[in-house]
Amino acid sequence: VSQRESVVPESVVVDLKAAFADDPQIVGFTRALFDNVSMFNRDSGQLLPLSFLLGLDPDEVDTIGGIPALDGGRLNLDVLGERGVILNQTAARELAAEPGHIIEISVRRVRQEFEVVAIANDTLLSGEVNPIEAQGAVIRLNDAQAIFDQEGFVTGIGVTTVGSGGGALKIADAVD
């Protein structure tokens, strides 16, 4: 099954938010759309033939506290502006990229240009979909949906819970 066939309607998140609106253990739900892409840094000439591009909703990322930045702070997607991208540390290193560089992201043989606006720690929220090949990038969900031709769909829904130590596992049956 390809990523294109592994999508669910965004309305599922609306239903989940309604069903768990009063649950004090849930901080928020985060819609995500991701797929494999290749990335080329026009400034350094470096190519990543396989990486992950992750689309997230700016408001939902803010609700869960943002994306972990290299300096220990948090990034929100407001920094993206028009055609901005956040690279994770692995992608930035392999592309020899830094803020201000132009990255060409190729999806289904179509190239899209984005400007690197920030570098994040390697986490799921920064495009580390596969820990073995951690390189990834983040853009706005609506931009990812347009690029992947998946308007109204997501490939994943993140659930952020209060605290740690298996909180998500305790409520997993209720979410299922």
Side-chain angles (χ1 to χ4, degrees), residues 152-165:
F153 292 93
V154 295
T155 49
I157 302 166
V159 181
T160 304
T161 59
V162 175
S164 59

Side-chain angles (χ1 to χ4, degrees), residues 61-62 64-77 79 86 118-121 123 125 160:
V61 170
D62 283 349
I64 63 170
I67 298 170
L70 289 179
D71 65 4
R74 306 294 279 190
L75 298 167
N76 64 38
L77 298 187
V79 301
I86 297 171
I119 311 296
N121 282 327
T123 67
L125 286 174
T160 304

Side-chain angles (χ1 to χ4, degrees), residues 70 87-94 119-122 126 136:
L70 289 179
L87 295 178
N88 68 20
Q89 190 173 14
T90 298
R93 182 182 61 250
E94 294 196 23
I119 311 296
N121 282 327
D122 289 350
S126 68

Side-chain angles (χ1 to χ4, degrees), residues 66-142:
I67 298 170
L70 289 179
D71 65 4
R74 306 294 279 190
L75 298 167
N76 64 38
L77 298 187
D78 293 337
V79 301
L80 291 177
E82 193 69 28
R83 307 301 288 173
V85 64
I86 297 171
L87 295 178
N88 68 20
Q89 190 173 14
T90 298
R93 182 182 61 250
E94 294 196 23
L95 287 167
E98 56 189 54
H101 283 192
I102 301 299
I103 304 296
E104 292 179 1
I105 297 175
S106 296
V107 178
R108 297 180 185 98
R109 300 178 195 199
V110 176
R111 290 185 182 164
Q112 309 274 335
E113 289 186 357
F114 289 87
E115 180 180 349
V116 178
V117 297
I119 311 296
N121 282 327
D122 289 350
T123 67
L124 184 57
L125 286 174
S126 68
E128 184 188 28
V129 177
N130 176 350
I132 295 170
E133 295 185 21
Q135 61 273 12
V138 180
I139 60 175
R140 293 175 185 269
L141 178 62
N142 61 337

